[in-house]
Amino acid sequence: MGLETVKEEILSNSKEQSNSIIAEARKEANRIMREAEKKIEEMKERSEAETKRMLDTIKRQELANAELENKKMLLEAKKQVIENAFNESRKKLESLDDKKRETYIKKLLEKAKNDIEIAYVYCNKKDTKFLKGLNLEAINIIGGLVAENKEKTIRVDYSFETISQSIKENELQNINKILFS
């Protein structure tokens, strides 16, 4: 074997090794590329899933906020209707004819007499004519009366305003059912 043959064999082996190394490198590069593409696809899917989850969460929150706002508006509208109904009843009480006013005042006076020993009575100026013979004083109420005992330590308030407010507070659920069912 001559030097030339050894040289060619070394070059041939080197070329084979070089081709083998390059082929291995290409295989490895392809494998790395496939893994990178796979990871990119997984990241893309995770990102899409996360984005969808975030959008669903935002959508649920917005719907909940809209429902809450709707309930608030509905409640406010109901409160306004109830307030209007009580304002209307106040107007009707203010404009009662004398016969009805007198009937109501006398019934309220009897109720007050059952509750306390009356010494002083406070009422609307136009109602004083129905309460002759009592220690009267006109006050600024739409109707009804307020009565006190002699010592002014016990007071019963049967003014139309107080009665109306009491009805409103005690019967609000029933009023709500009647108006909105």
Side-chain angles (χ1 to χ4, degrees):
M1 232 204 242
L3 197 55
E4 198 55 40
T5 310
V6 171
K7 178 178 160 187
E8 280 202 22
E9 200 174 305
I10 291 173
L11 282 174
S12 175
N13 282 343
S14 294
K15 202 174 207 182
E16 265 182 46
Q17 270 186 331
S18 167
N19 286 341
S20 176
I21 290 172
I22 289 173
E24 262 320 296
R26 283 189 180 136
K27 272 170 116 182
E28 184 63 19
N30 284 337
R31 184 189 64 75
I32 291 171
M33 285 293 282
R34 282 192 308 274
E35 281 182 14
E37 287 172 358
K38 185 179 175 184
K39 283 183 181 177
I40 289 170
E41 191 59 34
E42 288 172 357
M43 289 171 67
K44 183 179 173 186
E45 287 173 6
R46 278 196 306 266
S47 176
E48 287 173 356
E50 180 66 18
T51 301
K52 184 180 182 316
R53 188 186 64 74
M54 288 172 59
L55 285 173
D56 288 345
T57 300
I58 291 170
K59 193 183 294 185
R60 278 194 309 274
Q61 287 174 340
E62 288 299 317
L63 282 172
N65 287 342
E67 285 177 18
L68 182 62
E69 191 61 33
N70 187 29
K71 286 179 182 179
K72 280 183 184 176
M73 289 171 58
L74 184 60
L75 182 61
E76 190 57 41
K78 285 179 177 182
K79 283 172 61 177
Q80 192 60 47
V81 167
I82 290 170
E83 202 56 46
N84 289 344
F86 275 92
N87 286 339
E88 189 63 33
S89 72
R90 180 186 169 116
K91 287 178 186 174
K92 286 184 179 183
L93 287 171
E94 286 176 336
S95 63
L96 284 174
D97 63 59
D98 278 356
K99 189 174 182 173
K100 280 187 180 177
R101 279 187 92 81
E102 182 177 13
T103 302
Y104 291 156
I105 296 296
K106 288 189 175 182
K107 284 181 180 178
L108 291 173
L109 182 62
E110 285 306 310
K111 182 166 177 48
K113 283 180 180 178
N114 289 333
D115 292 341
I116 65 170
E117 194 173 312
I118 297 175
Y120 304 99
V121 175
Y122 308 93
C123 64
N124 181 302
K125 187 175 181 178
K126 62 183 169 183
D127 293 337
T128 57
K129 62 186 170 195
F130 308 126
L131 299 168
K132 302 288 184 205
L134 296 169
N135 189 0
L136 291 174
E137 187 177 325
I139 59 172
N140 189 18
I141 58 175
I142 61 171
L145 59 92
V146 177
E148 287 181 330
N149 65 355
K150 187 176 183 179
E151 296 80 24
K152 293 189 175 189
T153 56
I154 301 175
R155 173 183 276 205
V156 289
D157 186 347
Y158 294 128
S159 64
F160 290 169
E161 291 96 326
T162 301
I163 293 169
S164 178
Q165 187 63 33
S166 177
I167 290 170
K168 185 177 176 182
E169 290 170 3
N170 295 329
E171 298 296 324
L172 190 58
Q173 285 184 334
N174 291 335
I175 293 167
N176 214 0
K177 284 179 189 173
I178 291 167
L179 291 176
F180 306 112
S181 293

